[in-house]
């Protein structure tokens, strides 16, 4: 089976390819000649995942899956949430986003947060949604070189290292995206 992963984010593509069984060929937007920026105009994480998957299926005709992820901080009423990638404005910049978040939580004792991923799969004319959430907290110092996004300032519950200190395999086994991808993989395996 061949599935388009509606992303041009090289880090996400690498992470996903590690998790999907080799019986399923995962190709990127670039591989199908989709170079335009897919609009992410929904006001929810679920909505953006659906928009991206539908865009590829409708415009290119491929079975496809798309994900959208966000960091939801309890003390900020779920922000940055759907705006996580552009929290500090355009252009997207992980350091600026983390700096803005650390500043926003400076005098806030509640540092609880969660990462949430929603995957939308469009396959054979049907749509399926898979969700992954990992709870943790935000720290005020960036630690670690791995990962991307808010990984250097997020520690999952039950762990002492940030996501950026974990190997790709360690992170994938517990992360929000890993949880959602496992559901996707289980679904694809049961459908074969």
């Amino acid at each position: 089976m061949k599935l388009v992963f509606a992303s041009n984010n090289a880090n996400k593509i690498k992470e996903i390819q590690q998790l999907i069984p080799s019986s399923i060929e995962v190709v990127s937007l670039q591989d199908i000649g989709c170079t335009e920026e897919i609009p992410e105009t929904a006001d929810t994480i679920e909505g953006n995942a659906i928009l991206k998957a539908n865009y590829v299926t409708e415009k290119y005709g491929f079975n496809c899956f798309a994900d959208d992820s966000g960091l939801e901080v309890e003390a900020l009423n779920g922000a940055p949430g759907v705006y996580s990638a552009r929290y500090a404005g355009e252009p997207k910049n992980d350091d600026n986003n983390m700096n803005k978040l650390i500043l926003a939580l400076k005098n806030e004792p509640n540092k609880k947060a969660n990462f949430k991923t929603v995957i939308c799969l469009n396959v054979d004319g049907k749509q399926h949604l898979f969700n992954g959430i990992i709870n943790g907290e935000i720290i005020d110092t960036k630690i670690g070189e791995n990962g991307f996004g808010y990984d250097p300032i997020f520690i999952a519950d039950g762990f002492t290292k940030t996501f950026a200190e974990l190997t790709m395999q360690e992170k994938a086994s517990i992360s929000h995206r890993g949880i959602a991808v496992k559901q996707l993989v289980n679904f694809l395996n049961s459908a074969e």
Side-chain angles (χ1 to χ4, degrees), residues 142-156:
K142 299 171 197 164
I143 304 173
E145 299 297 317
N146 301 327
F148 55 97
Y150 297 89
D151 288 355
I153 60 170
F154 181 83
I155 297 179

Side-chain angles (χ1 to χ4, degrees), residues 89-178:
E90 293 287 356
K92 293 190 258 187
N93 181 290
D94 292 345
D95 274 325
N96 292 347
N97 289 338
M98 285 186 282
N99 292 340
K100 180 177 178 177
L101 183 60
I102 289 167
L103 190 61
L105 293 174
K106 188 176 180 180
N107 299 313
E108 177 56 58
N110 178 2
K111 309 272 194 210
K112 288 182 184 170
N114 71 70
F115 270 123
K116 177 180 183 180
T117 291
V118 177
I119 293 176
C120 177
L121 169 68
N122 288 346
V123 64
D124 302 330
K126 293 193 176 91
Q127 189 166 80
H128 310 274
L129 295 177
F130 309 95
N131 295 289
I133 293 178
I134 182 81
N135 294 310
E137 67 177 14
I138 302 299
I139 59 170
D140 57 11
T141 306
K142 299 171 197 164
I143 304 173
E145 299 297 317
N146 301 327
F148 55 97
Y150 297 89
D151 288 355
I153 60 170
F154 181 83
I155 297 179
D157 286 351
F159 286 77
T160 56
K161 293 179 176 180
T162 67
F163 266 9
E165 292 178 282
L166 302 176
T167 65
M168 192 183 289
Q169 288 77 14
E170 288 171 326
K171 180 186 166 192
S173 71
I174 63 160
S175 77
H176 50 302
R177 187 169 297 110

Side-chain angles (χ1 to χ4, degrees), residues 7-36:
S7 180
N8 275 322
N9 181 324
N11 291 312
K12 271 191 192 180
I13 293 165
K14 206 184 310 180
E15 212 172 270
I16 290 280
Q17 285 172 328
Q18 298 255 326
L19 299 169
I20 299 277
S22 55
S23 60
I24 297 166
E25 183 189 356
V26 177
V27 297
S28 70
L29 291 175
Q30 200 171 0
D31 295 331
I32 63 164
C34 177
T35 54
E36 64 270 24

